[in-house]
């Protein structure tokens, strides 16, 4: 029986997202070594209204949001039906992109209300799911410009720890993504995509990814000195032109 993979692309860059390039490789590895069907959703294309903070979803027996005239009801159904939910999103100012935060706020009804109880034992989710799906797996695939993964992703990991529990999701992150995508004729990108594809194969075979694989994906591909030179050149072209303008033209 086929399992359902739901990929939520949180980047407003859509297909130009470096994180999505890695995610597609990971999913390819999964689908070549397992029985899966995949659904990709670009969050930035959805009509999602901001949460009102009314908490009516927690007051209702069905835990459904009072806002009905946008895409959240259909998206929530997709999440509830999925066996593997992959959030693909780059690091935006030390957090998840704003579109992802708005989506997550509106999915509050998927977790139990806060009753003023003490924090649960270390490692457990703070709320727990309203409709537990023991077999569902959550994966974060994210890339960033920084090298220091544990430092710059701290706010993201803290938030996911509270929502899903420390052992409730798999986090795959890759640093130096701009340089990987746009340097050396794409050779490093192909290498990193191959690593992610192997990780997807491993996940399909074992249901998880080893610490060794996680560390491999998070390993910087440039030395600190070379990487600093890359960024200095990126911001300071001799003719004064902004290099990222060229990158945008290339992608489009």
């Amino acid at each position: 029986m086929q399992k359902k993979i739901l990929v939520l692309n949180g980047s407003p860059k859509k297909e130009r997202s470096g994180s999505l390039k890695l995610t597609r490789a990971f999913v390819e590895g999964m689908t070549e070594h397992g029985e899966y069907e995949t659904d990709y959703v670009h969050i930035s294309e959805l009509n999602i209204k901001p949460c009102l903070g009314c908490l009516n979803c927690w007051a209702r027996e069905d835990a459904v949001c009072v806002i009905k005239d946008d895409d959240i009801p259909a998206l929530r159904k997709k999440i509830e039906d999925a066996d593997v939910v992959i959030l693909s999103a780059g690091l935006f100012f030390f957090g998840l992109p704003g579109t992802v935060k708005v989506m997550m706020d509106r999915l509050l009804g998927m977790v139990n209300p806060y009753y003023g109880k003490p924090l649960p034992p270390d490692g457990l989710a703070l709320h727990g799911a309203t409709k537990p799906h023991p077999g569902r797996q959550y994966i974060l695939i994210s890339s960033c410009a920084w090298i220091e993964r544990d430092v710059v992703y701290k706010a993201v990991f803290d938030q996911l720890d509270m929502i899903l529990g420390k052992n409730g999701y798999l986090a795959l992150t890759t640093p130096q993504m701009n340089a990987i995508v746009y340097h050396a004729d794409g050779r490093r990108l192909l290498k990193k995509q191959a690593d992610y594809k192997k990780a997807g194969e491993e996940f399909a075979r074992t249901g998880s990814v080893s610490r060794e694989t996680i560390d491999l994906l998070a390993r910087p591909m440039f030395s600190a000195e070379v990487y600093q030179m890359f960024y200095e050149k990126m911001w300071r072209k001799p003719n004064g032109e902004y290099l990222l303008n060229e990158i945008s033209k290339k992608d489009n």
Side-chain angles (χ1 to χ4, degrees):
M1 184 176 179
Q2 282 191 329
K3 292 185 176 181
K4 295 181 179 180
I5 302 172
L6 176 63
V7 177
L8 300 174
N9 177 25
S11 173
K13 297 178 182 179
K14 300 177 186 177
E15 291 295 336
R16 294 191 298 110
S17 165
S19 298
L20 186 61
K21 296 179 192 298
L22 303 179
T23 299
R24 285 194 176 277
F26 184 85
V27 171
E28 183 179 350
M30 288 182 63
T31 55
E32 288 184 2
H33 292 79
E35 297 295 325
Y36 298 98
E37 59 179 271
T38 310
D39 185 10
Y40 282 85
V41 174
H42 296 295
I43 298 174
S44 62
E45 292 182 348
L46 301 180
N47 172 27
I48 301 179
K49 297 181 179 180
C51 175
L52 299 174
C54 65
L55 302 183
N56 270 282
C57 57
W58 278 354
R60 296 168 59 95
E61 186 175 348
D62 57 9
V64 172
C65 179
V66 296
I67 302 173
K68 303 289 198 305
D69 58 345
D70 68 359
D71 291 327
I72 281 294
L75 181 62
R76 177 169 169 173
K77 180 67 165 56
K78 284 179 178 286
I79 295 173
E80 291 174 342
D81 290 344
D83 298 291
V84 181
V85 178
I86 302 177
L87 175 58
S88 175
L91 187 73
F92 279 38
F93 207 5
F94 309 114
L96 294 170
T99 49
V100 176
K101 181 61 168 67
V102 172
M103 175 197 73
M104 292 173 68
D105 286 349
R106 289 289 310 286
L107 296 175
L108 179 66
M110 293 187 69
V111 300
N112 293 313
Y114 171 59
Y115 293 111
K117 296 180 180 179
L119 292 175
D122 185 47
L124 297 181
L126 268 61
H127 291 278
T130 54
K131 296 181 180 179
H133 185 317
R136 184 184 300 132
Q137 294 172 287
Y138 293 93
I139 303 173
L140 170 69
I141 297 181
S142 181
S143 61
C144 68
W146 288 85
I147 300 173
E148 299 83 0
R149 169 188 185 269
D150 292 338
V151 175
V152 298
Y153 274 101
K154 185 179 185 305
V156 174
F157 294 157
D158 283 349
Q159 183 179 26
L160 294 180
D161 287 353
M162 288 185 281
I163 295 172
L164 299 173
K166 288 187 176 181
N167 297 315
Y169 66 100
L170 171 66
L172 305 177
T173 59
T174 292
Q176 302 180 336
M177 195 60 191
N178 279 345
I180 291 173
V181 172
Y182 302 114
H183 192 64
D185 298 324
R187 293 193 300 272
R188 286 181 173 83
L189 174 60
L190 292 176
K191 173 64 171 65
K192 189 60 70 173
Q193 286 175 312
D195 290 341
Y196 266 86
K197 183 176 179 180
K198 289 181 181 178
E201 295 172 6
E202 180 181 340
F203 186 87
R205 292 195 310 268
T206 69
S208 187
V209 173
S210 68
R211 169 50 59 182
E212 290 76 14
T213 298
I214 293 172
D215 291 342
L216 172 65
L217 300 179
R219 186 179 302 161
M221 300 190 79
F222 300 89
S223 68
E225 294 76 17
V226 170
Y227 194 54
Q228 186 173 358
M229 289 174 56
F230 171 83
Y231 262 92
E232 287 178 352
K233 290 181 179 180
M234 185 180 78
W235 295 114
R236 301 172 184 172
K237 289 192 66 179
N239 64 2
E241 187 176 351
Y242 185 44
L243 178 60
L244 290 185
N245 288 336
E246 294 183 5
I247 291 175
S248 295
K249 291 175 184 177
K250 177 182 176 182
D251 282 344
N252 293 326

